Amino acid sequence: MNTPNGTKQPAPLAVVTVTYNPGRHLPALVESLGTATQRPTLLVCADNGSTDGVAQQLAEQHEDVVYLPTGGNIGYGPAINEAARALAARRAAGEIDADYFLVVNPDVEFTAGSIDHLITCAEASSRAGAVGPRIEEADGSAYPSAREVPNLVTGIGHAVLYPFWPGNPFSTAYKAGEDLSRRREAGWLSGSCLLVRWEAFDAIGGFDERYFMYFEDIDFGDRLTRAGWENIFTPDAVIAHDQGHSAKKYSAVTVPAHHNSAYRFQADRHPYWWQAPVRAVLWAGLKGRALLMRLLGRG
């Protein structure tokens, strides 16, 4: 496709969002894409069984929006992988950008130029496997979206104590290195908005589909690092995120999923038979946390 001045227009950047009754958020995301990049985009709604009809309606109204039913509520990472597989033919045919694609939650709104800033950051390093933006909450504060990968001790301490004692030393250690003022490498980046290099995605096999939700972005970032890629945070790109609205609405599902994913992440990294006691302590601690949260009415 050529622009009016005769130059060739770049192939659309694929943008993948996982939808589950997204309501008012998805139209706002679609609208914000128009100013977020000078490139054309193709928004793929990997739908996990929505009943509100919003994703289908937007796909009917916009040529650059695709409705892709996944067949049920298969989880966040699996839905992204499903969209990536569905895009393979378009990618091979040059119908979408062959270098990058964007993963984004449906409750995100982009600021002007934010996607272009992500791409510029990725192009500055050939080993950038994923690039994440500054994520701002409704009150304008920055969400700590670029962190170090938790080890066993800090992971357990943070998971068990943070809801009841936010200032505990384990959570303080877990949140160390949350500098959001400069471009830098991180252990992992929030999956709520992530520019991903196709080559890196293919190299590690995409998201681990054993994670229904939560920790799939930590696992993804950790596996990128282990494979020699970089996770880069850039404050030049800014998005707004209605953080956690779905989690609060479906807490009966999301709270157990969080605990199960936390266990899987650490258990995978302590897989040997002689580490069985470690896995047992981890499992017991997370189950105890879940019970305590239920008793206190926190999900």
Side-chain angles (χ1 to χ4, degrees), residues 125-168:
S125 173
S126 62
R127 300 307 299 170
V131 179
R134 175 185 171 91
I135 301 175
E136 293 190 347
E137 312 235 34
D139 62 1
S141 62
Y143 176 75
S145 59
R147 297 178 177 177
E148 295 307 308
V149 174
N151 62 33
L152 184 64
V153 174
T154 59
I156 292 176
H158 171 69
V160 173
L161 296 177
Y162 184 75
F164 319 106
W165 180 19
N168 72 83

Side-chain angles (χ1 to χ4, degrees), residues 8-32:
K8 186 176 181 180
Q9 188 177 33
L13 176 73
V15 180
V16 175
T17 189
V18 179
T19 52
Y20 184 77
N21 295 326
R24 62 180 175 83
H25 292 95
L26 189 60
L29 169 65
V30 172
E31 184 176 353
S32 71

Side-chain angles (χ1 to χ4, degrees), residues 102-127:
L102 190 68
V103 173
V104 64
N105 280 10
D107 53 4
V108 160
E109 292 184 43
F110 293 100
T111 63
S114 52
I115 294 177
D116 285 339
H117 284 305
L118 290 173
I119 295 172
T120 297
C121 180
E123 290 181 339
S125 173
S126 62
R127 300 307 299 170

